[in-house]
Amino acid sequence: MQTIEQFLESNNIRVTAMRLLIYKFLDKKQVAVTLTDIENAFEKADRTTLYRTIKTFEEKAIVHQIDDGTGTIKYALCEQGCTCEIGTDLHLHFHCNNCNETVCLTDLKIPQIKVPDGFISENVNLVVKGICDKCSGQ
């Protein structure tokens, strides 16, 4: 099994203490997190370093952005082997209207959508909103 260090290096990401900490933080989360959540978890860290780490992870398909309609972008780790490509790696997200958490439903893939000629798809985001299993008690 690959260590986090080996995983980052295999994705051409220089291993630093902060990158390891942020990766471990995201890996422990069962829900998508905001940049503010990350800042709050690492209060003594430089905001710019945190932002650059997330952007580096995003560029290398380690994390993906989720626009769940709340007005705040959230981030979650990608599945291993993900390239975040339209038509192959995109999955559903669920946003709970009660607890305000957003989770990846990686088993539910977004089908490839053919747009009319002349249109170019750059991003696809499908968010289901409702009450999560924790809040519904089921």
Side-chain angles (χ1 to χ4, degrees):
M1 180 149 170
Q2 214 177 28
T3 66
I4 297 170
E5 292 88 345
Q6 292 168 329
F7 175 69
L8 294 177
E9 287 173 349
S10 71
N11 283 283
N12 297 315
I13 297 174
R14 189 170 51 87
V15 177
T16 66
M18 186 52 66
R19 288 176 178 170
L20 287 172
L21 288 170
I22 291 173
Y23 186 91
K24 288 176 184 177
F25 173 77
L26 292 170
D27 193 38
K28 287 180 186 174
K29 294 292 181 182
Q30 299 297 310
V31 298
V33 298
T34 65
L35 194 53
T36 302
D37 294 332
I38 296 168
E39 289 171 1
N40 291 338
F42 301 100
E43 290 178 3
K44 297 191 186 291
D46 178 57
R47 277 181 100 193
T48 304
T49 300
L50 299 175
Y51 178 78
R52 286 183 181 158
T53 297
I54 289 296
K55 285 298 159 193
T56 298
F57 284 1
E58 190 175 9
E59 289 167 5
K60 300 291 185 170
I62 305 296
V63 301
H64 61 278
Q65 249 188 46
I66 303 163
D67 178 356
D68 61 8
T70 61
T72 304
I73 298 297
K74 294 181 180 171
Y75 300 91
L77 284 179
C78 292
E79 291 183 300
Q80 193 156 3
C82 176
T83 58
C84 291
E85 291 180 15
I86 294 174
T88 59
D89 293 320
L90 301 182
H91 56 265
L92 227 65
H93 296 99
F94 187 93
H95 177 78
C96 180
N97 293 324
N98 189 49
C99 66
N100 206 33
E101 290 183 343
T102 299
V103 296
C104 295
L105 301 176
T106 54
D107 290 341
L108 301 172
K109 302 296 182 192
I110 297 174
Q112 189 166 6
I113 298 169
K114 180 161 175 33
V115 296
D117 290 340
F119 290 78
I120 301 170
S121 297
E122 293 181 340
N123 190 348
V124 176
N125 187 34
L126 185 54
V127 178
V128 176
K129 294 185 177 197
I131 306 299
C132 71
D133 58 347
K134 290 183 289 185
C135 292
S136 71
Q138 297 184 17

